[in-house]
Amino acid sequence: VLDFNDPFSSEVKPRILLMGLRRSGKSSIQKVVFHKMSPNETLFLESTNKICREDVSNSSFVNFQIWDFPGQIDFFDPTFDYEMIFRGTGALIFVIDSQDDYMEALARLHLTVTRAYKVNPDINFEIFIHKVDGLSDDHKIETQRDIHQRANDDLADAGLEKIHLSFYLTSIYDHSIFEAFSKVVQKLIPQLPTLENLLNIFISNSGIEKAFLFDVVSKIYIATDSTPVDMQTYELCCDMIDVVIDISCIYGLKDDGTGTPYDKESMAIIKLNNTTVLYLKEVTKFLALVCFVREESFERKGLIDYNFHCFRKAIQEVFEVRMKVVRSRKHQSHLQKNKRPTPNGTPRMPL
């Protein structure tokens, strides 16, 4: 079991802490994004009363631990070793209920961020301004501006202007929570610049408007090209993945129910009524490439498929390099454990 004290744990599986006050929506976010729970079903979730850890290992890129902290727990209490908690953390997500009075939440956010930063300056601080589905568009913007201003003013007053906070408007009732989690996860992927560069090369040589590299299970996009992301475009991609998986589960399995609904033969083409084509291709058993192509460009499908073959080969090489690094680190961690003396002071014998 990987734990807080294991340095290999945080190197291979970055840790994401999910924090916030009670009933802010932390557990609901986790259930909707990673367990495919319907947003309406989350209304019946009981309040979390203990720290819950979950390993998310859908692919070697989406590969991290989520620690869900109950809002009522004071982890700065002497019984908690908060330094150990923050030391190996890659990202800290603090959830603020936008429909509630958020003054107490801002005070807790400031305390959490300042303590965490002193222990680990490399943590990414992500603020989810949550439950915005109940606010008007103007109220959303005003709430985000107010929370942003107050949080940064508090840090400035404490002489900590160099701490960077990222803010996201989120709701489990639309795709905003998936997009926000995508941005959080991307910061924890060391290969992100390589993936973005490969996507840029692919679309520029294929006449493609926009391309996303999706984790099929969670619908988190782990990389996209350098052109801006449009929310409607992202939603269409998510819907396409749902359609492909649903149909594959019905018609893609063998008569005896064996096989997988998503494999190397998985591919889909959806023509929209605005002369745009959505094109999905399997990259690995966990990743899919979803592209937006103009109809006139899609007539050169042979060129796109050839370039895709080159792209997939390059992605596989990135995977192979990553796995070599993981195996090397695992071996080094194993050697370090064996070098540590036993409780009676004698050196450990190598296994």
Side-chain angles (χ1 to χ4, degrees), residues 290-308:
V290 185
C291 307
F292 274 73
V293 196
R294 293 287 175 194
E295 276 189 4
E296 58 268 24
S297 299
F298 196 68
E299 292 174 1
R300 297 176 295 168
K301 182 173 174 294
L303 172 65
I304 294 173
D305 286 344
Y306 174 78
N307 287 339
F308 170 77

Side-chain angles (χ1 to χ4, degrees), residues 34-53:
F34 299 107
H35 294 273
K36 295 290 176 267
M37 181 178 282
S38 164
N40 292 324
E41 290 179 48
T42 63
L43 298 172
F44 306 103
L45 287 175
E46 293 184 6
S47 184
T48 305
N49 55 16
K50 62 180 180 180
I51 299 173
C52 299
R53 188 196 81 170

Side-chain angles (χ1 to χ4, degrees), residues 18-20 23-30 32-33 39 42 92-100 126-137 139-141 143-145 147 166-185 220 231 234-235:
L18 206 53
M19 295 181 170
R23 313 303 298 173
S24 57
K26 302 184 295 297
S27 299
S28 299
I29 289 171
Q30 193 175 348
V32 168
V33 175
T42 63
L92 191 157
I93 299 174
F94 196 94
V95 183
I96 297 177
D97 185 347
S98 65
Q99 298 184 32
D100 199 5
E126 319 286 353
I127 317 304
F128 285 9
I129 303 171
H130 197 46
K131 303 182 183 179
V132 295
D133 49 276
L135 307 180
S136 65
D137 288 344
H139 197 181
K140 285 180 192 177
I141 295 169
T143 300
Q144 183 177 18
R145 187 201 62 77
I147 290 175
S166 299
F167 296 86
Y168 309 85
L169 293 172
T170 60
S171 168
I172 57 174
Y173 292 96
D174 58 30
H175 290 85
S176 60
I177 191 62
F178 292 95
E179 186 179 20
F181 242 105
S182 297
K183 298 286 180 61
V184 171
V185 170
I220 286 174
M231 190 64 180
Y234 174 66
E235 289 177 5

